[in-house]
Amino acid sequence: MAATFFGEVVKAPSRAGTEEEEEEEEQNRRDTPEDREVRRQLARKREVRLLQRQTKTSLEVALLEKHPCSKFIIAVGTNATAFLSSFVMNSGVWEEVGCAKLWNEWCRTADTVHLSPTDAFCVFYQLKSNPLVFLCQCSCYIAEDQQFQWLEKVFGSRPRKNMKVTVLTCRHVTEYKTSESTCSLPSPFLRALKTQKFKDSACCPLLEQPNIVHDLPAAVLSYCQVWKIPAVLYLCYTDVMKLDLVTVEAFKPVLSSSSLKSLVKNIPESTEILKKLMTTNEIQSNIYT
């Protein structure tokens, strides 16, 4: 197996790969009908569905095939979603247009309408004043076998190329590869990774090799690279992976980007909203501890 710069794993041709396929075929021959039925049921359970959360009805076409889109902003993880909630969603009126319903070993998306920072969710919003702008708040883990499903349900099989995609996420600082000691790094800090078609300047230094990105952000960036869609990932390296004020504010340089600067109106007011969100989260955390 080989890892690309975006972090997704691809199969390298080899004799071992052929042997693995032969073993898989042999296993399929030995399987009983009950074994195959169990696998079918598990595959159905792991299916990613896009729904209207209020009506629980499935979207018949991919989200961005149904709605024209010029800007698509995706936040993955607790701190990234808190940043968009405080600084972007607070500055305009956003209408929910769908949500992803999924289950895997690590999470089950919440069904509640009023979400809290501790819930697992993946919700899509459209800006009322500019319907070409979409936003995704994703706090849940999307497993490797579910990522392509998510991409097809959101972007479609032939995505439009006249949109710009921005992804925000966090990783632990110990995953950052450098010749220096990670103890000496001023955590948290930002790095950017962009596709070839993204021509704007990034709001922070570019991610250095041999660092790679992982999970859904890597899948989105790889998808955009293949389909020649301008996309940039802003990756915050931090030593605090739970909801953290300093980590959330580390994304502030992104507010000057071409995708976000027109969406943010009052940064001081947004900062106060962020502090209230942190307080609410602390209260809820204390209830369950």
Side-chain angles (χ1 to χ4, degrees), residues 57-285:
T57 56
S58 296
L59 297 178
E60 295 181 359
V61 297
L63 181 70
L64 298 184
E65 286 182 352
K66 180 179 180 181
H67 302 282
C69 174
S70 63
K71 292 180 184 178
F72 187 30
I73 304 160
I74 307 169
V76 181
T78 304
N79 287 302
T81 56
F83 174 77
L84 285 191
S85 294
S86 303
F87 290 94
V88 177
M89 298 190 72
N90 172 57
S91 299
V93 179
W94 296 81
E95 179 183 13
E96 182 184 323
V97 291
C99 69
K101 178 79 172 176
L102 61 94
W103 173 93
N104 56 52
E105 293 84 350
W106 296 100
C107 87
R108 178 178 297 169
T109 49
D111 287 327
T112 55
V113 174
H114 302 290
L115 296 166
S116 76
T118 56
D119 288 326
F121 55 84
C122 184
V123 186
F124 301 90
Y125 301 91
Q126 183 180 39
L127 184 61
K128 294 275 282 186
S129 60
N130 184 355
L132 295 176
V133 179
F134 285 79
L135 184 150
C136 172
Q137 294 278 65
C138 182
S139 75
C140 62
Y141 172 73
I142 298 179
E144 183 179 337
D145 64 307
Q146 297 174 317
Q147 290 165 12
F148 185 71
Q149 293 183 58
W150 188 96
L151 291 168
E152 285 216 313
K153 297 291 175 67
V154 175
F155 287 95
S157 56
R158 297 187 63 84
R160 297 183 177 93
K161 299 178 182 179
N162 58 345
M163 64 175 161
K164 188 178 292 183
V165 177
T166 302
V167 186
L168 309 176
T169 194
C170 292
R171 300 296 293 190
H172 199 275
V173 69
T174 54
E175 297 183 25
Y176 182 69
K177 293 179 174 62
T178 176
S179 57
E180 305 173 37
S181 168
T182 53
C183 298
S184 64
L185 295 173
S187 176
F189 60 92
L190 279 180
R191 289 293 185 268
L193 184 59
K194 55 186 182 178
T195 62
Q196 289 180 343
K197 290 296 182 180
F198 188 88
K199 302 303 182 185
D200 294 351
S201 298
C203 301
C204 65
L206 295 178
L207 184 65
E208 308 90 343
Q209 292 191 14
N211 289 287
I212 60 173
V213 295
H214 306 266
D215 302 329
L216 183 64
V220 171
L221 226 59
S222 296
Y223 189 85
C224 292
Q225 176 74 6
V226 169
W227 286 100
K228 297 180 171 56
I229 299 169
V232 60
L233 165 67
Y234 289 104
L235 176 58
C236 178
Y237 284 99
T238 177
D239 56 358
V240 183
M241 293 303 292
K242 66 179 182 179
L243 188 59
D244 173 64
L245 179 63
V246 177
T247 300
V248 174
E249 291 191 326
F251 284 108
K252 275 187 173 181
V254 184
L255 296 176
S256 63
S257 69
S258 59
S259 292
L260 270 70
K261 64 183 178 183
S262 62
L263 304 178
V264 180
K265 294 178 181 177
N266 192 326
I267 293 179
E269 181 181 329
S270 298
T271 302
E272 289 304 311
I273 289 173
L274 173 61
K275 290 177 180 177
K276 290 179 182 177
L277 178 64
M278 302 297 297
T279 302
T280 302
N281 181 67
E282 288 176 4
I283 293 171
Q284 289 179 338
S285 297

